[in-house]
Amino acid sequence: MLTLKLLRDDPEYVIKKLAVKHFDARDIVCKVVELDKNRRSLQAELDSCLAEQKQKAAQIGSLMKAGKKDEAETVKFEVSSLKERSKELEAKSAENNTELESLMVLLPNIPCDLVPEGKNSDDNVVVKMGNEIPDLGPDALPHWELAKKFDIIDFDLGVKLTGAGFPVYKGKGARLQRALINMFLDINTAAGYLEVEPPVMVNEASGFGTGQLPDKEGQMYHANLDNYYLVPTAEVPVTNIYRDVILGNNDFPVKMTAYTPCFRREAGSYGKDVRGLNRLHQFDKVEIVRIEKPENSYAALDEMIAHVEGIVSKLGLPYRILRLCGGDLSFTSAITYDFEVYSAAQGRWLEISSVSNFESYQANRLKLRYRDADGKIQLAHTLNGSSLALPRVVAALLEDNQKDGKIIIPEALRPYTGFDTIG
């Protein structure tokens, strides 16, 4: 959530920057500025009213002691009137503030200056590529056919048990999943990330804190009876560990990693993009989360990008890193870098990670702050990244490593799988 100070001090800057996200913010920003002015005016009047009420209440006892009963009764009536006025002002203030907050959460985060202009994913900027794309020839099979051939992923059984987008991993397919999760967690913890195992259901406050609510209700699975949400990413529970926390100046950096199953409705998905593992409703993902001082957050972002790149490199998959343009940037992000791997049999790039800096946007919603060296309370910066999301990693691993009727397991992964090939 953007700060009131920023909106009040430079509304035109906010409007201009949000236009990079193709978000027309003028009406909302102008209304927020007006409501903020009302908020301060009402609060000033209320403070004055309460102060006068306190002052007059103190007079009553003195007047009674002095035998000035009539004057005391007059002051009592004035105090009563002031109390009624205070109640009216408190009600107006509460109504004004509710409207103010309801509008503020509609404003997305401001993109940083590094974010390129653009409307959609076609305008994203490739900043780096690595590893060669294999030439598999015309007989290469897509991963869903390989999964069926080797009986390692059963999509039809998933439909029987639940529905489309909920595959069942079997035998070496299940072991491959577990191997990737363990490998990713080991690499993350070796880099200083604290492993946590959070709940996979969160309350509404957690969804609000990281910006999934009220923006993405349609994408989240909701347990209506308890008002809990299945996590779309471990970012939500892990970042919320620090909701309503004031960190010390020496508590940084905060680095956490977690594996969770993730759940997304993916409403409106269709066509080739949903074949096999390309787009699922339930999938496994390992996440990294960092909390930083504002002056260190972009150095931390660079570290996270290099860290994720190291993992992809170890798997030997062809990859590219993209800086997302304004039109493709998420609601909460100030800047995002996507990692994609090449799916050789499908002939297309598949996203496997997003690494983002949210600056103070999430922290403001979370009330996540720290006390600086001068003792002043400041908003922290939050960052996160996938390291990695498994489904499309598995898709690329199966497709890119098919050779002589087998799937060759990357060397770095073999200590975790316990086998060198599938088939």
Side-chain angles (χ1 to χ4, degrees):
M1 188 163 62
L2 302 178
T3 63
L4 262 177
K5 185 178 187 307
L6 174 62
L7 290 161
R8 179 170 60 242
D9 291 351
D10 202 344
E12 289 301 323
Y13 169 78
V14 173
I15 292 166
K16 179 182 176 181
K17 293 297 290 185
L18 289 183
V20 176
K21 284 190 170 183
H22 298 269
F23 187 93
D24 185 358
R26 182 168 296 278
D27 288 348
I28 296 176
V29 170
C30 289
K31 185 63 176 177
V32 165
V33 171
E34 177 188 341
L35 290 167
D36 178 54
K37 185 177 180 180
N38 292 344
R39 177 188 67 84
R40 288 179 289 136
S41 176
L42 287 166
Q43 188 61 52
E45 187 177 354
L46 177 60
D47 290 343
S48 176
C49 190
L50 290 172
E52 186 179 358
Q53 180 182 317
K54 183 178 180 181
Q55 181 185 21
K56 288 185 178 295
Q59 292 177 4
I60 295 173
S62 300
L63 290 170
M64 292 294 288
K65 286 180 182 180
K68 300 178 179 179
K69 186 176 180 182
D70 290 344
E71 291 184 35
E73 290 298 323
T74 299
V75 174
K76 282 182 181 180
F77 178 78
E78 292 173 351
V79 168
S80 178
S81 297
L82 286 168
K83 285 182 178 179
E84 288 300 316
R85 179 57 180 160
S86 295
K87 288 180 182 178
E88 291 174 8
L89 289 169
E90 286 172 349
K92 285 183 179 180
S93 182
E95 183 180 352
N96 184 86
N97 292 346
T98 296
E99 186 178 358
L100 175 62
E101 290 170 7
S102 69
L103 286 174
M104 286 185 67
V105 299
L106 298 179
L107 292 171
N109 197 4
I110 288 174
C112 87
D113 291 340
L114 293 172
V115 172
E117 299 263 351
K119 293 183 179 180
N120 53 45
S121 59
D122 293 335
D123 299 318
N124 293 337
V125 178
V126 177
V127 296
K128 190 172 182 180
M129 299 185 72
N131 294 332
E132 291 186 11
I133 295 174
D135 183 8
L136 300 179
D139 297 328
L141 299 176
H143 68 271
W144 53 86
E145 292 186 23
L146 292 168
K148 186 172 184 178
K149 175 181 177 181
F150 297 115
D151 195 25
I152 55 174
I153 308 172
D154 195 324
F155 297 101
D156 293 334
L157 184 55
V159 172
K160 173 185 176 181
L161 297 178
T162 308
F166 295 88
V168 176
Y169 300 88
K170 301 162 63 177
K172 286 187 174 181
R175 290 171 65 184
L176 179 60
Q177 289 284 112
R178 180 157 46 94
L180 287 165
I181 292 165
N182 288 338
M183 176 184 174
F184 298 162
L185 287 172
D186 281 355
I187 294 173
N188 293 347
T189 54
Y193 290 88
L194 173 70
E195 183 179 350
V196 296
E197 185 177 343
V200 297
M201 299 185 81
V202 294
N203 56 31
E204 193 170 345
S206 293
F208 175 82
T210 44
Q212 278 68 33
L213 298 175
D215 180 49
K216 295 183 176 66
E217 296 98 328
Q219 295 296 321
M220 297 173 73
Y221 285 98
H222 186 207
N224 295 338
L225 186 62
D226 302 294
N227 198 27
Y228 292 155
Y229 292 85
L230 286 165
V231 297
T233 165
E235 165 202 344
V236 181
V238 174
T239 310
N240 270 275
I241 290 172
Y242 285 87
R243 174 159 42 94
D244 297 319
V245 169
I246 299 177
L247 293 164
N249 187 54
N250 298 320
D251 290 336
F252 297 93
V254 175
K255 301 169 66 175
M256 297 174 287
T257 185
Y259 153 71
T260 64
C262 302
F263 305 86
R264 298 182 188 178
R265 294 187 63 245
E266 300 287 7
S269 297
Y270 62 92
K272 66 178 182 179
D273 290 344
V274 302
R275 289 294 301 272
L277 298 171
N278 286 346
R279 194 172 295 275
L280 302 177
H281 296 307
Q282 177 182 331
F283 60 95
D284 293 321
K285 182 158 69 80
V286 176
E287 192 82 359
I288 51 175
V289 171
R290 290 180 70 153
I291 301 169
E292 298 282 350
K293 295 179 184 178
E295 61 267 27
N296 298 332
S297 71
Y298 275 88
L301 178 66
D302 290 340
E303 289 178 18
M304 293 171 72
I305 293 167
H307 178 79
V308 172
E309 184 181 7
I311 300 175
V312 181
S313 296
K314 285 179 184 293
L315 294 173
L317 295 171
Y319 68 91
R320 66 181 186 180
I321 307 173
L322 302 94
R323 185 186 298 135
L324 299 194
C325 70
D328 203 28
L329 206 58
S330 77
F331 187 86
T332 53
S333 177
I335 187 168
T336 293
Y337 290 85
D338 273 4
F339 282 75
E340 297 179 340
V341 291
Y342 194 74
S343 172
Q346 297 181 71
R348 57 195 295 258
W349 292 95
L350 303 174
E351 180 197 331
I352 59 167
S353 174
S354 290
V355 182
S356 303
N357 189 346
F358 303 97
E359 297 187 358
S360 63
Y361 188 87
Q362 287 183 333
N364 194 29
R365 297 169 76 111
L366 293 158
K367 294 184 173 57
L368 166 52
R369 297 158 292 172
Y370 72 100
R371 198 178 302 276
D372 66 18
D374 298 324
K376 187 177 179 181
I377 300 296
Q378 308 275 9
L379 286 172
H381 279 195
T382 62
L383 308 93
N384 71 49
S386 312
S387 64
L388 300 160
L390 268 67
R392 295 168 189 165
V393 169
V394 172
L397 280 174
L398 296 179
E399 294 183 12
D400 295 1
N401 292 292
Q402 54 185 304
K403 184 178 180 181
D404 299 329
K406 295 181 179 181
I407 306 296
I408 310 301
I409 300 299
E411 188 172 342
L413 189 55
R414 293 174 189 176
Y416 292 93
T417 58
F419 54 84
D420 297 349
T421 63
I422 297 174

PDB file of all heavy atoms in Angstrom, residues 126-156:
ATOM      1  N   VAL A 126      14.745  -8.953 -22.383  1.00  0.00           N
ATOM      2  CA  VAL A 126      15.669 -10.038 -22.052  1.00  0.00           C
ATOM      3  C   VAL A 126      16.995  -9.423 -21.626  1.00  0.00           C
ATOM      4  O   VAL A 126      17.637  -8.703 -22.395  1.00  0.00           O
ATOM      5  CB  VAL A 126      15.877 -10.985 -23.252  1.00  0.00           C
ATOM      6  CG1 VAL A 126      16.892 -12.067 -22.893  1.00  0.00           C
ATOM      7  CG2 VAL A 126      14.554 -11.618 -23.676  1.00  0.00           C
ATOM      8  N   VAL A 127      17.417  -9.703 -20.387  1.00  0.00           N
ATOM      9  CA  VAL A 127      18.661  -9.116 -19.879  1.00  0.00           C
ATOM     10  C   VAL A 127      19.812 -10.120 -19.862  1.00  0.00           C
ATOM     11  O   VAL A 127      20.977  -9.718 -19.792  1.00  0.00           O
ATOM     12  CB  VAL A 127      18.458  -8.537 -18.460  1.00  0.00           C
ATOM     13  CG1 VAL A 127      17.461  -7.388 -18.486  1.00  0.00           C
ATOM     14  CG2 VAL A 127      18.007  -9.601 -17.470  1.00  0.00           C
ATOM     15  N   LYS A 128      19.497 -11.423 -19.968  1.00  0.00           N
ATOM     16  CA  LYS A 128      20.566 -12.418 -19.964  1.00  0.00           C
ATOM     17  C   LYS A 128      20.027 -13.754 -20.443  1.00  0.00           C
ATOM     18  O   LYS A 128      18.861 -14.078 -20.219  1.00  0.00           O
ATOM     19  CB  LYS A 128      21.158 -12.577 -18.556  1.00  0.00           C
ATOM     20  CG  LYS A 128      22.427 -13.410 -18.511  1.00  0.00           C
ATOM     21  CD  LYS A 128      23.065 -13.374 -17.125  1.00  0.00           C
ATOM     22  CE  LYS A 128      24.368 -14.165 -17.114  1.00  0.00           C
ATOM     23  NZ  LYS A 128      25.008 -14.139 -15.768  1.00  0.00           N
ATOM     24  N   MET A 129      20.885 -14.537 -21.100  1.00  0.00           N
ATOM     25  CA  MET A 129      20.543 -15.898 -21.503  1.00  0.00           C
ATOM     26  C   MET A 129      21.694 -16.815 -21.117  1.00  0.00           C
ATOM     27  O   MET A 129      22.852 -16.390 -21.046  1.00  0.00           O
ATOM     28  CB  MET A 129      20.275 -15.979 -23.008  1.00  0.00           C
ATOM     29  CG  MET A 129      19.119 -15.124 -23.473  1.00  0.00           C
ATOM     30  SD  MET A 129      18.711 -15.329 -25.227  1.00  0.00           S
ATOM     31  CE  MET A 129      17.979 -16.969 -25.219  1.00  0.00           C
ATOM     32  N   GLY A 130      21.373 -18.094 -20.861  1.00  0.00           N
ATOM     33  CA  GLY A 130      22.409 -19.036 -20.476  1.00  0.00           C
ATOM     34  C   GLY A 130      22.070 -20.452 -20.900  1.00  0.00           C
ATOM     35  O   GLY A 130      20.898 -20.826 -21.001  1.00  0.00           O
ATOM     36  N   ASN A 131      23.100 -21.256 -21.131  1.00  0.00           N
ATOM     37  CA  ASN A 131      23.022 -22.665 -21.545  1.00  0.00           C
ATOM     38  C   ASN A 131      22.404 -22.795 -22.944  1.00  0.00           C
ATOM     39  O   ASN A 131      21.483 -22.061 -23.307  1.00  0.00           O
ATOM     40  CB  ASN A 131      22.243 -23.527 -20.541  1.00  0.00           C
ATOM     41  CG  ASN A 131      22.949 -23.640 -19.202  1.00  0.00           C
ATOM     42  OD1 ASN A 131      24.177 -23.555 -19.138  1.00  0.00           O
ATOM     43  ND2 ASN A 131      22.176 -23.826 -18.141  1.00  0.00           N
ATOM     44  N   GLU A 132      22.926 -23.727 -23.687  1.00  0.00           N
ATOM     45  CA  GLU A 132      22.504 -23.905 -25.070  1.00  0.00           C
ATOM     46  C   GLU A 132      21.187 -24.669 -25.166  1.00  0.00           C
ATOM     47  O   GLU A 132      20.929 -25.587 -24.388  1.00  0.00           O
ATOM     48  CB  GLU A 132      23.578 -24.653 -25.860  1.00  0.00           C
ATOM     49  CG  GLU A 132      24.860 -23.850 -26.077  1.00  0.00           C
ATOM     50  CD  GLU A 132      25.831 -24.577 -26.981  1.00  0.00           C
ATOM     51  OE1 GLU A 132      25.432 -25.598 -27.594  1.00  0.00           O
ATOM     52  OE2 GLU A 132      26.981 -24.123 -27.082  1.00  0.00           O
ATOM     53  N   ILE A 133      20.389 -24.295 -26.155  1.00  0.00           N
ATOM     54  CA  ILE A 133      19.136 -24.999 -26.424  1.00  0.00           C
ATOM     55  C   ILE A 133      19.460 -26.286 -27.178  1.00  0.00           C
ATOM     56  O   ILE A 133      20.134 -26.244 -28.217  1.00  0.00           O
ATOM     57  CB  ILE A 133      18.182 -24.116 -27.253  1.00  0.00           C
ATOM     58  CG1 ILE A 133      17.757 -22.893 -26.435  1.00  0.00           C
ATOM     59  CG2 ILE A 133      16.957 -24.916 -27.701  1.00  0.00           C
ATOM     60  CD1 ILE A 133      16.924 -21.895 -27.217  1.00  0.00           C
ATOM     61  N   PRO A 134      19.031 -27.434 -26.666  1.00  0.00           N
ATOM     62  CA  PRO A 134      19.349 -28.700 -27.339  1.00  0.00           C
ATOM     63  C   PRO A 134      18.561 -28.875 -28.630  1.00  0.00           C
ATOM     64  O   PRO A 134      17.428 -28.400 -28.743  1.00  0.00           O
ATOM     65  CB  PRO A 134      18.941 -29.752 -26.304  1.00  0.00           C
ATOM     66  CG  PRO A 134      17.847 -29.111 -25.509  1.00  0.00           C
ATOM     67  CD  PRO A 134      18.224 -27.651 -25.442  1.00  0.00           C
ATOM     68  N   ASP A 135      19.172 -29.536 -29.587  1.00  0.00           N
ATOM     69  CA  ASP A 135      18.502 -29.872 -30.842  1.00  0.00           C
ATOM     70  C   ASP A 135      18.077 -31.328 -30.749  1.00  0.00           C
ATOM     71  O   ASP A 135      18.874 -32.241 -30.925  1.00  0.00           O
ATOM     72  CB  ASP A 135      19.458 -29.658 -32.020  1.00  0.00           C
ATOM     73  CG  ASP A 135      18.782 -29.933 -33.361  1.00  0.00           C
ATOM     74  OD1 ASP A 135      17.544 -30.135 -33.356  1.00  0.00           O
ATOM     75  OD2 ASP A 135      19.490 -29.948 -34.380  1.00  0.00           O
ATOM     76  N   LEU A 136      16.805 -31.545 -30.456  1.00  0.00           N
ATOM     77  CA  LEU A 136      16.311 -32.898 -30.188  1.00  0.00           C
ATOM     78  C   LEU A 136      15.823 -33.618 -31.432  1.00  0.00           C
ATOM     79  O   LEU A 136      15.609 -34.824 -31.407  1.00  0.00           O
ATOM     80  CB  LEU A 136      15.174 -32.846 -29.157  1.00  0.00           C
ATOM     81  CG  LEU A 136      15.525 -32.251 -27.792  1.00  0.00           C
ATOM     82  CD1 LEU A 136      14.293 -32.251 -26.910  1.00  0.00           C
ATOM     83  CD2 LEU A 136      16.657 -33.019 -27.132  1.00  0.00           C
ATOM     84  N   GLY A 137      15.616 -32.885 -32.494  1.00  0.00           N
ATOM     85  CA  GLY A 137      15.108 -33.522 -33.700  1.00  0.00           C
ATOM     86  C   GLY A 137      13.597 -33.602 -33.713  1.00  0.00           C
ATOM     87  O   GLY A 137      12.919 -33.320 -32.719  1.00  0.00           O
ATOM     88  N   PRO A 138      13.024 -34.034 -34.828  1.00  0.00           N
ATOM     89  CA  PRO A 138      11.566 -34.021 -35.006  1.00  0.00           C
ATOM     90  C   PRO A 138      10.811 -35.066 -34.189  1.00  0.00           C
ATOM     91  O   PRO A 138       9.589 -34.983 -34.051  1.00  0.00           O
ATOM     92  CB  PRO A 138      11.395 -34.295 -36.508  1.00  0.00           C
ATOM     93  CG  PRO A 138      12.629 -35.069 -36.888  1.00  0.00           C
ATOM     94  CD  PRO A 138      13.739 -34.512 -36.037  1.00  0.00           C
ATOM     95  N   ASP A 139      11.517 -36.058 -33.651  1.00  0.00           N
ATOM     96  CA  ASP A 139      10.833 -37.131 -32.917  1.00  0.00           C
ATOM     97  C   ASP A 139      10.744 -36.864 -31.415  1.00  0.00           C
ATOM     98  O   ASP A 139      10.289 -37.728 -30.663  1.00  0.00           O
ATOM     99  CB  ASP A 139      11.563 -38.462 -33.158  1.00  0.00           C
ATOM    100  CG  ASP A 139      11.522 -38.885 -34.614  1.00  0.00           C
ATOM    101  OD1 ASP A 139      10.518 -38.574 -35.279  1.00  0.00           O
ATOM    102  OD2 ASP A 139      12.494 -39.506 -35.079  1.00  0.00           O
ATOM    103  N   ALA A 140      11.187 -35.704 -30.977  1.00  0.00           N
ATOM    104  CA  ALA A 140      11.131 -35.386 -29.550  1.00  0.00           C
ATOM    105  C   ALA A 140       9.689 -35.350 -29.063  1.00  0.00           C
ATOM    106  O   ALA A 140       8.790 -34.850 -29.748  1.00  0.00           O
ATOM    107  CB  ALA A 140      11.806 -34.046 -29.294  1.00  0.00           C
ATOM    108  N   LEU A 141       9.471 -35.887 -27.871  1.00  0.00           N
ATOM    109  CA  LEU A 141       8.127 -35.956 -27.294  1.00  0.00           C
ATOM    110  C   LEU A 141       7.929 -34.847 -26.267  1.00  0.00           C
ATOM    111  O   LEU A 141       8.852 -34.532 -25.503  1.00  0.00           O
ATOM    112  CB  LEU A 141       7.919 -37.309 -26.605  1.00  0.00           C
ATOM    113  CG  LEU A 141       8.014 -38.562 -27.489  1.00  0.00           C
ATOM    114  CD1 LEU A 141       7.871 -39.825 -26.630  1.00  0.00           C
ATOM    115  CD2 LEU A 141       6.952 -38.534 -28.579  1.00  0.00           C
ATOM    116  N   PRO A 142       6.735 -34.257 -26.203  1.00  0.00           N
ATOM    117  CA  PRO A 142       6.442 -33.307 -25.131  1.00  0.00           C
ATOM    118  C   PRO A 142       6.360 -34.045 -23.792  1.00  0.00           C
ATOM    119  O   PRO A 142       6.153 -35.260 -23.744  1.00  0.00           O
ATOM    120  CB  PRO A 142       5.090 -32.724 -25.535  1.00  0.00           C
ATOM    121  CG  PRO A 142       4.459 -33.770 -26.385  1.00  0.00           C
ATOM    122  CD  PRO A 142       5.587 -34.455 -27.112  1.00  0.00           C
ATOM    123  N   HIS A 143       6.489 -33.319 -22.717  1.00  0.00           N
ATOM    124  CA  HIS A 143       6.618 -33.966 -21.401  1.00  0.00           C
ATOM    125  C   HIS A 143       5.383 -34.774 -21.014  1.00  0.00           C
ATOM    126  O   HIS A 143       5.497 -35.768 -20.295  1.00  0.00           O
ATOM    127  CB  HIS A 143       6.921 -32.922 -20.323  1.00  0.00           C
ATOM    128  CG  HIS A 143       5.800 -31.975 -20.045  1.00  0.00           C
ATOM    129  ND1 HIS A 143       5.617 -30.795 -20.726  1.00  0.00           N
ATOM    130  CD2 HIS A 143       4.779 -32.041 -19.147  1.00  0.00           C
ATOM    131  CE1 HIS A 143       4.558 -30.169 -20.265  1.00  0.00           C
ATOM    132  NE2 HIS A 143       4.019 -30.908 -19.307  1.00  0.00           N
ATOM    133  N   TRP A 144       4.196 -34.381 -21.481  1.00  0.00           N
ATOM    134  CA  TRP A 144       3.016 -35.149 -21.099  1.00  0.00           C
ATOM    135  C   TRP A 144       3.012 -36.538 -21.747  1.00  0.00           C
ATOM    136  O   TRP A 144       2.497 -37.483 -21.161  1.00  0.00           O
ATOM    137  CB  TRP A 144       1.731 -34.383 -21.398  1.00  0.00           C
ATOM    138  CG  TRP A 144       1.583 -33.864 -22.802  1.00  0.00           C
ATOM    139  CD1 TRP A 144       1.091 -34.510 -23.883  1.00  0.00           C
ATOM    140  CD2 TRP A 144       1.938 -32.551 -23.258  1.00  0.00           C
ATOM    141  NE1 TRP A 144       1.113 -33.710 -24.994  1.00  0.00           N
ATOM    142  CE2 TRP A 144       1.609 -32.501 -24.645  1.00  0.00           C
ATOM    143  CE3 TRP A 144       2.473 -31.423 -22.641  1.00  0.00           C
ATOM    144  CZ2 TRP A 144       1.829 -31.355 -25.414  1.00  0.00           C
ATOM    145  CZ3 TRP A 144       2.674 -30.289 -23.403  1.00  0.00           C
ATOM    146  CH2 TRP A 144       2.363 -30.264 -24.770  1.00  0.00           C
ATOM    147  N   GLU A 145       3.611 -36.647 -22.923  1.00  0.00           N
ATOM    148  CA  GLU A 145       3.739 -37.973 -23.537  1.00  0.00           C
ATOM    149  C   GLU A 145       4.855 -38.774 -22.884  1.00  0.00           C
ATOM    150  O   GLU A 145       4.741 -39.993 -22.699  1.00  0.00           O
ATOM    151  CB  GLU A 145       3.980 -37.831 -25.036  1.00  0.00           C
ATOM    152  CG  GLU A 145       2.787 -37.274 -25.797  1.00  0.00           C
ATOM    153  CD  GLU A 145       2.999 -37.277 -27.308  1.00  0.00           C
ATOM    154  OE1 GLU A 145       3.828 -38.082 -27.792  1.00  0.00           O
ATOM    155  OE2 GLU A 145       2.344 -36.483 -28.000  1.00  0.00           O
ATOM    156  N   LEU A 146       5.931 -38.100 -22.508  1.00  0.00           N
ATOM    157  CA  LEU A 146       7.021 -38.771 -21.785  1.00  0.00           C
ATOM    158  C   LEU A 146       6.532 -39.267 -20.426  1.00  0.00           C
ATOM    159  O   LEU A 146       6.884 -40.380 -19.999  1.00  0.00           O
ATOM    160  CB  LEU A 146       8.195 -37.809 -21.596  1.00  0.00           C
ATOM    161  CG  LEU A 146       8.943 -37.401 -22.867  1.00  0.00           C
ATOM    162  CD1 LEU A 146       9.872 -36.235 -22.574  1.00  0.00           C
ATOM    163  CD2 LEU A 146       9.731 -38.586 -23.436  1.00  0.00           C
ATOM    164  N   ALA A 147       5.727 -38.457 -19.754  1.00  0.00           N
ATOM    165  CA  ALA A 147       5.193 -38.848 -18.446  1.00  0.00           C
ATOM    166  C   ALA A 147       4.346 -40.114 -18.555  1.00  0.00           C
ATOM    167  O   ALA A 147       4.411 -41.007 -17.700  1.00  0.00           O
ATOM    168  CB  ALA A 147       4.373 -37.700 -17.866  1.00  0.00           C
ATOM    169  N   LYS A 148       3.560 -40.202 -19.619  1.00  0.00           N
ATOM    170  CA  LYS A 148       2.722 -41.388 -19.823  1.00  0.00           C
ATOM    171  C   LYS A 148       3.570 -42.588 -20.231  1.00  0.00           C
ATOM    172  O   LYS A 148       3.361 -43.716 -19.742  1.00  0.00           O
ATOM    173  CB  LYS A 148       1.674 -41.094 -20.887  1.00  0.00           C
ATOM    174  CG  LYS A 148       0.654 -42.200 -21.072  1.00  0.00           C
ATOM    175  CD  LYS A 148      -0.466 -41.762 -22.007  1.00  0.00           C
ATOM    176  CE  LYS A 148      -1.543 -42.836 -22.112  1.00  0.00           C
ATOM    177  NZ  LYS A 148      -2.668 -42.394 -22.992  1.00  0.00           N
ATOM    178  N   LYS A 149       4.547 -42.345 -21.098  1.00  0.00           N
ATOM    179  CA  LYS A 149       5.414 -43.430 -21.576  1.00  0.00           C
ATOM    180  C   LYS A 149       6.151 -44.104 -20.426  1.00  0.00           C
ATOM    181  O   LYS A 149       6.235 -45.335 -20.368  1.00  0.00           O
ATOM    182  CB  LYS A 149       6.418 -42.861 -22.585  1.00  0.00           C
ATOM    183  CG  LYS A 149       7.453 -43.856 -23.077  1.00  0.00           C
ATOM    184  CD  LYS A 149       8.424 -43.201 -24.045  1.00  0.00           C
ATOM    185  CE  LYS A 149       9.521 -44.174 -24.482  1.00  0.00           C
ATOM    186  NZ  LYS A 149      10.479 -43.521 -25.421  1.00  0.00           N
ATOM    187  N   PHE A 150       6.669 -43.310 -19.508  1.00  0.00           N
ATOM    188  CA  PHE A 150       7.454 -43.863 -18.393  1.00  0.00           C
ATOM    189  C   PHE A 150       6.632 -44.043 -17.123  1.00  0.00           C
ATOM    190  O   PHE A 150       7.167 -44.451 -16.092  1.00  0.00           O
ATOM    191  CB  PHE A 150       8.661 -42.966 -18.112  1.00  0.00           C
ATOM    192  CG  PHE A 150       9.629 -42.868 -19.257  1.00  0.00           C
ATOM    193  CD1 PHE A 150       9.838 -41.665 -19.915  1.00  0.00           C
ATOM    194  CD2 PHE A 150      10.314 -43.992 -19.694  1.00  0.00           C
ATOM    195  CE1 PHE A 150      10.720 -41.568 -20.974  1.00  0.00           C
ATOM    196  CE2 PHE A 150      11.203 -43.906 -20.764  1.00  0.00           C
ATOM    197  CZ  PHE A 150      11.410 -42.709 -21.406  1.00  0.00           C
ATOM    198  N   ASP A 151       5.343 -43.719 -17.184  1.00  0.00           N
ATOM    199  CA  ASP A 151       4.416 -43.894 -16.065  1.00  0.00           C
ATOM    200  C   ASP A 151       4.913 -43.182 -14.802  1.00  0.00           C
ATOM    201  O   ASP A 151       4.957 -43.758 -13.712  1.00  0.00           O
ATOM    202  CB  ASP A 151       4.211 -45.385 -15.770  1.00  0.00           C
ATOM    203  CG  ASP A 151       2.987 -45.630 -14.874  1.00  0.00           C
ATOM    204  OD1 ASP A 151       2.071 -44.780 -14.880  1.00  0.00           O
ATOM    205  OD2 ASP A 151       2.968 -46.655 -14.161  1.00  0.00           O
ATOM    206  N   ILE A 152       5.274 -41.909 -14.960  1.00  0.00           N
ATOM    207  CA  ILE A 152       5.791 -41.155 -13.815  1.00  0.00           C
ATOM    208  C   ILE A 152       4.847 -40.022 -13.370  1.00  0.00           C
ATOM    209  O   ILE A 152       4.962 -39.537 -12.249  1.00  0.00           O
ATOM    210  CB  ILE A 152       7.192 -40.575 -14.111  1.00  0.00           C
ATOM    211  CG1 ILE A 152       7.188 -39.737 -15.385  1.00  0.00           C
ATOM    212  CG2 ILE A 152       8.229 -41.692 -14.178  1.00  0.00           C
ATOM    213  CD1 ILE A 152       8.492 -39.027 -15.664  1.00  0.00           C
ATOM    214  N   ILE A 153       3.952 -39.608 -14.252  1.00  0.00           N
ATOM    215  CA  ILE A 153       2.937 -38.603 -13.891  1.00  0.00           C
ATOM    216  C   ILE A 153       1.629 -39.030 -14.532  1.00  0.00           C
ATOM    217  O   ILE A 153       1.585 -39.286 -15.731  1.00  0.00           O
ATOM    218  CB  ILE A 153       3.310 -37.187 -14.370  1.00  0.00           C
ATOM    219  CG1 ILE A 153       4.718 -36.794 -13.923  1.00  0.00           C
ATOM    220  CG2 ILE A 153       2.302 -36.164 -13.848  1.00  0.00           C
ATOM    221  CD1 ILE A 153       5.217 -35.485 -14.534  1.00  0.00           C
ATOM    222  N   ASP A 154       0.574 -39.094 -13.728  1.00  0.00           N
ATOM    223  CA  ASP A 154      -0.723 -39.547 -14.224  1.00  0.00           C
ATOM    224  C   ASP A 154      -1.725 -38.400 -14.146  1.00  0.00           C
ATOM    225  O   ASP A 154      -2.221 -38.064 -13.065  1.00  0.00           O
ATOM    226  CB  ASP A 154      -1.213 -40.738 -13.405  1.00  0.00           C
ATOM    227  CG  ASP A 154      -2.352 -41.492 -14.083  1.00  0.00           C
ATOM    228  OD1 ASP A 154      -3.185 -40.827 -14.727  1.00  0.00           O
ATOM    229  OD2 ASP A 154      -2.400 -42.737 -13.962  1.00  0.00           O
ATOM    230  N   PHE A 155      -1.976 -37.794 -15.284  1.00  0.00           N
ATOM    231  CA  PHE A 155      -2.907 -36.662 -15.327  1.00  0.00           C
ATOM    232  C   PHE A 155      -4.355 -37.132 -15.251  1.00  0.00           C
ATOM    233  O   PHE A 155      -5.195 -36.475 -14.637  1.00  0.00           O
ATOM    234  CB  PHE A 155      -2.680 -35.839 -16.600  1.00  0.00           C
ATOM    235  CG  PHE A 155      -1.315 -35.211 -16.663  1.00  0.00           C
ATOM    236  CD1 PHE A 155      -0.306 -35.775 -17.432  1.00  0.00           C
ATOM    237  CD2 PHE A 155      -1.037 -34.055 -15.948  1.00  0.00           C
ATOM    238  CE1 PHE A 155       0.954 -35.190 -17.491  1.00  0.00           C
ATOM    239  CE2 PHE A 155       0.213 -33.460 -16.002  1.00  0.00           C
ATOM    240  CZ  PHE A 155       1.218 -34.033 -16.778  1.00  0.00           C
ATOM    241  N   ASP A 156      -4.668 -38.270 -15.855  1.00  0.00           N
ATOM    242  CA  ASP A 156      -6.041 -38.792 -15.832  1.00  0.00           C
ATOM    243  C   ASP A 156      -6.447 -39.198 -14.427  1.00  0.00           C
ATOM    244  O   ASP A 156      -7.592 -38.978 -14.007  1.00  0.00           O
ATOM    245  CB  ASP A 156      -6.174 -39.988 -16.777  1.00  0.00           C
ATOM    246  CG  ASP A 156      -6.011 -39.587 -18.238  1.00  0.00           C
ATOM    247  OD1 ASP A 156      -6.300 -38.404 -18.557  1.00  0.00           O
ATOM    248  OD2 ASP A 156      -5.592 -40.433 -19.049  1.00  0.00           O
TER     249      ASP A 156
END
